[in-house]
Amino acid sequence: MTLTRLFSAGRPLLAFPSLSLMVLCGPLCTPAAAEDKKAREPQPAEFASKIEPVLKRFCYDCHGGGSAKGGVSLDDAKKGARHLGNRGLWLRIWKNLRIDHMPPVGEDQPKASERKEVVHWIERNVFMLDPANPDPGRAPIRRLNRAQYRHAIEDLLGVDYDVQNNFPPDDTGYGFDTIGEVLSISPLMMEKYLAAARQIMAEAIPEEGKKNAESYRRIFAEDPLPKAPDRRDQPARTILERFASRAYRRPVDADTVDKLVELAKANGAGDGDQFDAGIRFALTAILSSPQFILRNDVPTKNGEGVVPIDDYSLASRLSFFLWNSTPDEALLELARKAKLRDNLRSTIDRMLKDPKSERFVKSFVGQWLQTRNIDGKLFDTTHILGINDLNKAVRIFNLYTRQDMQRETEMFFGHIVRENRPAVELITADYSFVNDRLAKYYGVKDFEGKAFRKVSLKGNRRLGGILTHGSFLIATSNPTRTSPVKRGLFVLENILGTPPPPPPPNVPDLAEARKEVGGASTMRERLKHHRAKPLCNSCHARMDPIGLALENYNAIGQWREADDRKPLDTTGVLVTGEKFEGVGGLRQILAGPRQKDFHRCLTEKLLTYALGRGVEYYDAPTVDGIIKKAETAGGGLREFIYGVIESAPFQLKRLGNGK
């Protein structure tokens, strides 16, 4: 039975004895990227009159006339820019023009209008993108990840199931564990789902006692049970239909309910004293079914092309995005009335005010800003702090310090979302959220009280924003020292969205550079020597200046004035030409000339997390539209969330072979 037929059948897994081995024993989904559309034939007149003159003026010195730096020759007779079908070449041109990486600093630069014209021309004529009809891409069928499964069980039954110890860690793709390509089901995983369902239901409906438990009341509600066994079919039907509709995230059909009732009766529900046991078995089947374990968005109609997903699928996308869980009754009721789209923003606001939105904050921030990685980081704190007393070092930096740092970043992000503060305030804020331990650790004076609260950092040498959060600083450090390379790479990947290419093989590390330069050399000198190697320069010229701007913060996030008693030089120049000094200057650049890159990166990260797939070239109109709409509305972080949810990829589904 195929996955499509399995969904339409609406039957629980326990109704298919061999299903776990025969059907769900492999990857569920294909890559989310759309199939390439056939590019139209070149138009010599249009290319020659509008685009080629710009390329000749600004690009051909390095990529034409026999010169092919980086392996790119724009005037190659067979593979050059005149061939619009050479999608790979045009993709490289498009990416570098969008982020201002080409032409390189020091060379003549096109006007902003010229750059914009070329970028838009590529999108229209090579990629065939239509901003009025954006391609939503593929919506992969995928299983619930560990966090989603746990929260769904918690919201349905009030049971806190230990997914950490009972399920293997989820794989990640594009930096997130919500990606359909990696959320596959193996035979072993299916067995774990079956075991989990049995264990959960044994706790929810115990064989003896605990009849007043919260989960028991959620299942049986307040409906009185008829004493006569032959009159219990209807109560069983009511219970199972109500629960299955919540678990499957949409109404169940009569045939599915009939089968569930038969399962319950066959396992005790028809007997006088075994009603609970039969219901337990049927609910175990529900929690083992593909309708619960898998997410599959249902279109409003079949056929070809692009169509909206139905309101129930939209409710699920919303709830798993903002709550990491299944929809509540209010969401399902709006979907039942087909009123969800009419009340979308008020629904988003309600969901973000709900305490369950903390799950989104913790999950998204934990992966985007890597705060969930800091617990397992090992540090030689005595070496970093320059003290020989291990006990003293542990009192300064310990597990509580890490947890406080993680909480700081989560509260900071959550505040900006709830208050709809400008998204760029994530970088430029002059405040943070600390408790007494973290205030002392950071050197924030005149702070009292053990509870976390918002505190102004005006006049403090430690600036605000995520670049000075301990969570970021220790996530990008080595066990014994800072890592300007890791810090610079983090900013490129997660703030600017302009990651460098992977390093070539057999590149010598900084330890080797230290030997060559001399053991007493500064970090800046070692990096300069490392960067002098041709294989290393192109990437390190992007990363190193950013990382060196953060050298006033040691490997565990404390302020310092020197490294090995040598003064720190935190000046730098971005590869796009902007000069700065220290983290303060870097913040101004990121929030000023490079703000468009930050907004694009933030939008793409939110889209990736929400859609369960990577952002592709055909998403460019969607990304640009979200940014434009959000900036017009003031640039608030919530505006970007609105934009993601209102976008074509979130609202629509491509059927068949697409457009």
Side-chain angles (χ1 to χ4, degrees), residues 383-649:
H383 173 79
I384 294 168
L385 295 171
I387 57 179
N388 295 321
D389 188 338
L390 179 60
N391 290 329
K392 183 178 179 181
V394 170
R395 286 196 297 271
I396 295 173
F397 180 77
N398 50 51
L399 177 62
Y400 294 113
T401 316
R402 298 170 191 251
Q403 293 173 343
D404 290 343
M405 291 173 172
Q406 188 173 7
R407 185 64 182 146
E408 173 192 20
T409 306
E410 291 169 358
M411 291 186 70
F412 178 64
F413 182 89
H415 167 78
I416 293 178
V417 170
R418 285 190 299 273
E419 300 298 323
N420 201 18
R421 299 292 304 164
V424 76
E425 207 164 278
L426 288 165
I427 298 171
T428 63
D430 59 2
Y431 62 88
S432 194
F433 290 81
V434 299
N435 60 3
D436 56 344
R437 282 194 304 256
L438 202 54
K440 181 179 179 181
Y441 187 84
Y442 284 164
V444 177
K445 298 179 180 179
D446 302 323
F447 185 95
E448 296 181 1
K450 295 185 178 299
F452 271 88
R453 71 171 187 271
K454 184 180 177 183
V455 60
S456 173
L457 296 176
K458 290 181 179 179
N460 195 296
R461 66 184 178 183
R462 186 182 200 95
L463 301 175
I466 54 179
L467 295 183
T468 65
H469 282 202
S471 59
F472 156 71
L473 295 166
I474 70 173
T476 54
S477 291
N478 288 328
T480 60
R481 61 169 177 82
T482 62
S483 175
V485 174
K486 289 181 179 178
R487 289 178 177 178
L489 179 61
F490 181 99
V491 171
L492 290 176
E493 289 183 333
N494 297 295
I495 305 298
L496 293 172
T498 57
N506 303 319
V507 174
D509 58 21
L510 283 178
E512 189 67 27
R514 184 167 192 154
K515 293 178 183 177
E516 295 175 5
V517 177
S521 62
T522 65
M523 178 64 73
R524 179 175 286 273
E525 289 168 342
R526 295 197 296 275
L527 285 171
K528 182 179 180 181
H529 180 79
H530 190 72
R531 200 162 53 245
K533 301 178 184 297
L535 282 175
C536 308
N537 180 66
S538 62
C539 294
H540 280 271
R542 303 185 191 187
M543 298 183 292
D544 295 356
I546 296 172
L548 289 168
L550 297 159
E551 278 290 275
N552 278 123
Y553 299 94
N554 69 13
I556 54 176
Q558 286 192 313
W559 179 269
R560 63 180 183 175
E561 298 287 351
D563 180 20
D564 288 339
R565 295 186 295 277
K566 294 183 178 181
L568 295 166
D569 179 1
T570 59
T571 59
V573 182
L574 292 187
V575 71
T576 46
E578 298 90 350
K579 298 180 180 180
F580 58 88
E581 181 174 356
V583 68
L586 178 61
R587 293 194 328 162
Q588 292 177 2
I589 300 300
L590 298 180
R594 308 319 308 173
Q595 184 181 118
K596 63 178 181 180
D597 292 331
F598 170 65
H599 281 169
R600 184 185 299 120
C601 182
L602 173 65
T603 302
E604 291 181 349
K605 296 294 182 182
L606 286 167
L607 273 170
T608 300
Y609 178 85
L611 299 177
R613 65 168 177 83
V615 173
E616 304 289 347
Y617 71 88
Y618 55 79
D619 291 307
T622 291
V623 173
D624 293 343
I626 292 172
I627 294 170
K628 182 178 180 179
K629 199 172 181 180
E631 290 179 343
T632 301
L637 181 51
R638 188 178 295 204
E639 300 297 333
F640 287 89
I641 294 175
Y642 289 150
V644 167
I645 293 170
E646 293 169 349
S647 70

Side-chain angles (χ1 to χ4, degrees), residues 45-65:
E46 186 179 10
F47 175 80
S49 63
K50 292 184 178 181
I51 306 305
E52 194 168 33
V54 178
L55 298 181
K56 284 183 175 179
R57 201 160 13 124
F58 299 106
C59 307
Y60 275 32
D61 282 350
C62 297
H63 304 290

Side-chain angles (χ1 to χ4, degrees), residues 10 12 243-250 252 256 285-286 289 291-292:
F243 187 84
S245 295
R246 284 291 314 279
Y248 294 169
R249 306 177 282 277
R250 63 179 55 249
V252 291
T256 299
I286 291 172
S289 70
Q291 283 84 357
F292 174 67

Side-chain angles (χ1 to χ4, degrees), residues 111-151:
K111 297 177 182 177
S113 58
E114 291 175 313
R115 187 184 295 271
K116 185 176 181 180
E117 181 180 22
V118 175
V119 167
H120 286 179
W121 185 89
I122 295 170
E123 292 172 355
R124 290 191 308 270
N125 294 273
V126 179
F127 301 154
M128 305 296 290
L129 304 182
D130 180 2
N133 297 285
D135 186 346
R138 293 292 184 193
I141 299 174
R142 57 199 184 275
R143 66 169 171 83
L144 305 185
N145 64 26
R146 289 196 306 183
Q148 292 167 347
Y149 184 93
R150 176 195 170 194
H151 292 313

